[in-house]
Amino acid sequence: MRIGFDNDKYIALQAEHIRERIGQFGGKLYLEFGGKLFDDHHASRVLPGFQPDSKIRMLKQFADDVEIIVAINANDIEKNKMRGDLGITYDEDVLRLLDIFANMGFATAGVVITRYENQPSAAAFRQKLSSLGVKSYLHHPIAGYPYDVARINSDDGFGKNEFVETTRPLVVVTAPGPGSGKMATALSQLYHEHKRGVEAGYAKYETFPIWNLPLKHPVNVAYEAATVDLDDANAIDPFHLEAYGVTTVNYNRDIEIFPVVNAMFELIAGQSPYKSPTDMGVNMAGNCIVDDAVCCEASRKEIVRRYYKCLCEQKITGTAKESERYKLELLMNQAGLTMGAREVEKQAHARSE
């Protein structure tokens, strides 16, 4: 396999950058981990040389300074939401994650059940955690979230959430999948920390889109192809462009929510340390690409693979929506891709005939 990504450089550079961010906030940082904390196979496909467990290996350098909070949405427990890549439910994956963290020597502060409204399955899961000796905490829906900032940052908002006691300088907030409430969990913790007089900060660790690659770079287009079911879309970060005159790439949900998050920072800490969604990130992956052509080619193959995967899901299980297929076709066009060009497709068609 041709290598396009320097994994050792990535681990070293990423760890150094996170240490700097911890220092920026007086010694305590809540780090929201987007995507897969380990077994990140999408990253390894589009960045040949990236190891699927790179992020957890990087965290091993902080082993004595890290505590992990796992967030899970009570509604996902209730409807038995599945991880498509592993074929297990989100609550089962939380237990899997807890086992892996323990075996790797990481301290776990507990499990936060977000959007809790006495859902029977969520209550049963909490009992199961208790029987396993795992602490769990309840976070409740907040009226007006995320736009009623004054209410959210009050005793009727974050103040009602249970606080997770942590003692280490780096607190990683992770989850079995998107929509689990990681950001709200981290911000809720910040609210309680500042109420207690503890200086703490927040940062976000998303591998994709890669902020310092062009908007339509194949690696970033492949990320859109991977998230068509989430309605994610890459976009130029307008806040970063206005603040610094520099073009960077972020994605629509973070750009849309940034003014709200910024207002929360101002209410919680008196001022916001960030001028843009890009500022909140700590991802160094773009600085570790050593052969752009290799990563571009791998990403183009990934876009085609995602398109075929969608077609298969439509035909076999009926789980993929028409809108997802249409968006993937648009992404194929953007990347200048056509069906039948890859060697594997030619072989498959020949076998079919």
Side-chain angles (χ1 to χ4, degrees), residues 90-288:
Y90 272 27
D91 52 326
E92 289 173 328
D93 194 37
V94 168
L95 300 178
R96 182 184 77 98
L97 290 170
L98 292 172
D99 277 346
I100 292 171
F101 295 149
N103 289 335
M104 294 188 75
F106 288 110
T108 303
V111 174
V112 173
I113 301 175
T114 64
R115 304 193 66 81
Y116 183 77
E117 296 180 280
N118 297 305
Q119 295 94 329
S121 296
F125 180 61
R126 194 181 193 207
Q127 287 184 334
K128 185 171 189 176
L129 290 172
S130 179
S131 70
L132 294 170
V134 177
K135 292 180 180 178
S136 62
Y137 303 83
L138 302 179
H139 284 194
H140 308 279
I142 301 172
Y145 187 89
Y147 300 107
D148 189 349
V149 177
R151 177 195 287 268
I152 295 162
N153 290 282
S154 74
D155 290 340
D156 288 327
F158 285 147
K160 285 187 174 179
N161 289 340
E162 294 179 356
F163 177 60
V164 184
E165 294 282 354
T166 59
T167 59
R168 301 189 181 190
L170 180 60
V171 182
V172 169
V173 183
T174 188
S180 298
K182 296 188 297 292
M183 178 180 278
T185 297
L187 293 177
S188 179
Q189 286 291 113
L190 278 193
Y191 173 85
H192 284 279
E193 294 279 21
H194 280 275
K195 289 272 282 189
R196 288 163 166 76
V198 176
E199 187 180 350
Y202 163 84
K204 193 175 178 105
Y205 188 175
E206 293 274 9
T207 311
F208 302 105
I210 293 181
W211 61 276
N212 52 351
L213 290 181
L215 180 64
K216 295 305 176 185
H217 191 284
V219 170
N220 283 338
V221 177
Y223 167 72
E224 284 197 78
T227 56
V228 288
D229 58 325
L230 301 177
D231 267 346
D232 280 357
N234 297 340
I236 299 298
D237 181 346
F239 300 98
H240 205 80
L241 187 59
E242 183 179 355
Y244 305 105
V246 176
T247 300
T248 58
V249 176
N250 216 286
Y251 70 106
N252 57 325
R253 283 185 292 144
D254 269 9
I255 291 170
E256 288 160 10
I257 203 69
F258 179 71
V260 180
V261 174
N262 223 29
M264 288 184 192
F265 276 129
E266 288 169 359
L267 282 175
I268 290 171
Q271 64 178 2
S272 173
Y274 299 130
K275 293 182 179 179
S276 72
T278 301
D279 276 351
M280 294 195 300
V282 295
N283 179 38
M284 293 285 105
N287 298 321
C288 303

Side-chain angles (χ1 to χ4, degrees), residues 20-160:
E20 289 173 2
R21 194 63 66 95
I22 294 170
Q24 179 186 339
F25 290 106
K28 184 146 194 179
L29 178 69
Y30 283 89
L31 184 60
E32 177 195 345
F33 256 79
K36 307 287 194 303
L37 185 51
F38 49 90
D39 51 36
D40 191 341
H41 297 293
H42 175 81
S44 65
R45 285 193 296 268
V46 301
L47 300 170
F50 183 101
Q51 297 300 313
D53 63 347
S54 294
K55 286 181 276 189
I56 200 78
R57 282 168 56 194
M58 180 274 297
L59 275 183
K60 284 286 282 182
Q61 299 187 28
F62 297 88
D64 295 334
D65 295 326
V66 175
E67 278 179 277
I68 299 175
I69 295 173
V70 184
I72 181 170
N73 188 324
N75 295 318
D76 290 342
I77 301 172
E78 196 65 22
K79 62 189 180 189
N80 288 318
K81 188 171 182 180
M82 303 284 288
R83 261 192 67 159
D85 53 346
L86 298 178
I88 60 175
T89 60
Y90 272 27
D91 52 326
E92 289 173 328
D93 194 37
V94 168
L95 300 178
R96 182 184 77 98
L97 290 170
L98 292 172
D99 277 346
I100 292 171
F101 295 149
N103 289 335
M104 294 188 75
F106 288 110
T108 303
V111 174
V112 173
I113 301 175
T114 64
R115 304 193 66 81
Y116 183 77
E117 296 180 280
N118 297 305
Q119 295 94 329
S121 296
F125 180 61
R126 194 181 193 207
Q127 287 184 334
K128 185 171 189 176
L129 290 172
S130 179
S131 70
L132 294 170
V134 177
K135 292 180 180 178
S136 62
Y137 303 83
L138 302 179
H139 284 194
H140 308 279
I142 301 172
Y145 187 89
Y147 300 107
D148 189 349
V149 177
R151 177 195 287 268
I152 295 162
N153 290 282
S154 74
D155 290 340
D156 288 327
F158 285 147
K160 285 187 174 179

Side-chain angles (χ1 to χ4, degrees), residues 5-21 58 61-62 205 211-212 282-289:
F5 187 86
D6 187 334
N7 203 68
D8 292 336
K9 179 183 177 182
Y10 173 69
I11 290 173
L13 194 60
Q14 194 65 66
E16 178 187 344
H17 195 57
I18 290 172
R19 285 193 186 93
E20 289 173 2
R21 194 63 66 95
M58 180 274 297
Q61 299 187 28
F62 297 88
Y205 188 175
W211 61 276
N212 52 351
V282 295
N283 179 38
M284 293 285 105
N287 298 321
C288 303
I289 292 173

